[in-house]
Amino acid sequence: MSLKVAIAGKGGTGKTTLAALLCRCLLDRKFKPLLAVDADPNSCLPEKLGVNVAKDRTIGHLRESLRAEPEKVPQGISKSEWVERLINEDVTEALGFDVVVVGRQEGPNCYCYINNLLRSCIERIGEQYRAVVIDNQAALEHMSRRTDGRVEVMLVVCQPTINGARTAVRIRDIMKSLELEVQSAFLVINRCDGKMSPELRAEFGKCGLEIIGYIPSDPTVEQFETDRKSLMELPADAAAMLAAGKMMDEVLKRRNK
């Protein structure tokens, strides 16, 4: 069974950067092939991975096409098989990994049937990979109705602030209210070397999720992002890369217990 890791967090917390770093970590640990899913309408993950994805090669574009022509299915093939084939065509290939972009949100019409069809097809496609990394939008409601389905590991990314701790509590509550199928959920504190005041650590403790990793501020990452360079080319000894690798090793160790 493929490893399925989802990253959640408020916008601006660095979750997309973390998603890219985790893709790099998993590839370094021979989790190939790997599928990176950009489930945030403000699609930034492909750029951080050094991949160009055409605007008409997104799940959102496919969703609109299916809604416009719901009966357009070739003879001799089921609709599910046809949609799966179309999704495969929207997968952008890179070296050792593939990328699929969810893209635009739904319009005012009902998309329930189409979303369920897309979700089941993406889940089947995901099983073809050793690992799947999902960069989610700031809210998590789409996980119960769109394209993410079941998740083995959820990483909630927060800033080392009181507001960050309170955001973690809200995301935990959303996960519970939506009854998401998440096997394990952890906190990741971004732009932090692990040093926090007792008061701040107590605030994060209210969330009830264990902190599994700290990702420090890294000038190398910041320069790469300013220069729009792929984080897949980040030096192996970069501080953020080392921290992400340590965290991923801990995730994998717990998975294998």
Side-chain angles (χ1 to χ4, degrees):
M1 184 177 70
S2 60
L3 169 65
K4 202 170 185 180
V5 181
I7 295 94
K10 187 178 177 181
T13 57
K15 61 185 178 58
T16 300
T17 296
L18 178 63
L21 293 176
L22 293 185
C23 287
R24 166 73 180 277
C25 290
L26 287 166
L27 290 172
D28 287 347
R29 286 154 180 77
K30 310 303 180 186
F31 277 81
K32 301 178 182 179
L34 177 142
L35 179 64
V37 179
D38 190 339
D40 192 331
N42 182 27
S43 302
C44 298
L45 184 57
E47 180 179 324
K48 293 181 185 292
L49 295 174
V51 177
N52 292 318
V53 177
K55 292 182 179 180
D56 62 348
R57 295 188 64 184
T58 68
I59 300 302
H61 186 271
L62 173 58
R63 184 191 301 112
E64 293 301 323
S65 298
L66 291 171
R67 192 188 67 80
E69 299 182 275
E71 304 304 323
K72 185 180 177 181
V73 180
Q75 291 185 350
I77 184 173
S78 70
K79 188 159 191 175
S80 179
E81 291 172 316
W82 173 236
V83 171
E84 189 167 337
R85 184 180 299 178
L86 293 175
I87 293 174
N88 274 305
E89 292 177 359
D90 284 338
V91 172
T92 301
E93 297 180 356
L95 187 61
F97 67 99
D98 295 337
V99 179
V100 64
V101 175
V102 173
R104 61 177 293 179
Q105 296 177 328
E106 299 95 334
N109 299 291
C110 180
Y111 288 78
C112 297
Y113 171 71
I114 295 174
N115 285 333
N116 288 333
L117 191 59
L118 288 170
R119 180 170 56 221
S120 62
C121 290
I122 289 179
E123 286 181 352
R124 287 199 300 273
I125 290 172
E127 291 304 318
Q128 301 170 16
Y129 296 85
R130 281 207 64 202
V132 180
V133 175
I134 306 164
D135 179 24
N136 289 289
Q137 63 188 77
L140 286 173
E141 284 81 355
H142 66 294
M143 287 194 66
S144 66
R145 59 185 172 83
R146 274 179 60 183
T147 56
D148 298 337
R150 290 174 289 275
V151 170
E152 189 172 348
V153 180
M154 173 73 79
L155 300 177
V156 179
V157 185
C158 299
Q159 300 275 15
T161 63
I162 294 295
N163 283 338
R166 290 169 181 168
T167 297
V169 172
R170 287 194 292 271
I171 292 176
R172 178 209 61 191
D173 291 342
I174 291 172
M175 290 168 57
K176 287 183 177 180
S177 66
L178 294 176
E179 299 181 347
L180 300 179
E181 296 182 61
V182 177
Q183 291 185 22
S184 302
F186 304 99
L187 287 178
V188 179
I189 312 301
N190 197 28
R191 302 187 183 102
C192 179
D193 60 4
K195 298 176 183 177
M196 293 193 295
S197 68
E199 294 79 13
L200 182 56
R201 198 170 291 278
E203 282 295 320
F204 275 105
K206 295 177 182 178
C207 176
L209 300 179
E210 179 186 355
I211 299 174
I212 200 168
Y214 300 89
I215 308 297
S217 297
D218 189 336
T220 306
V221 171
E222 293 171 6
Q223 191 61 52
F224 266 58
E225 294 184 328
T226 298
D227 296 339
R228 295 190 173 183
K229 293 175 63 176
S230 169
L231 295 181
M232 303 302 279
E233 300 173 5
L234 198 69
D237 61 353
M241 192 75 256
L242 292 172
K246 180 179 179 182
M247 181 186 67
M248 180 51 65
D249 287 337
E250 182 63 26
V251 169
L252 295 174
K253 182 175 76 173
R254 297 188 185 207
R255 183 192 190 218
N256 294 329
K257 281 186 177 180

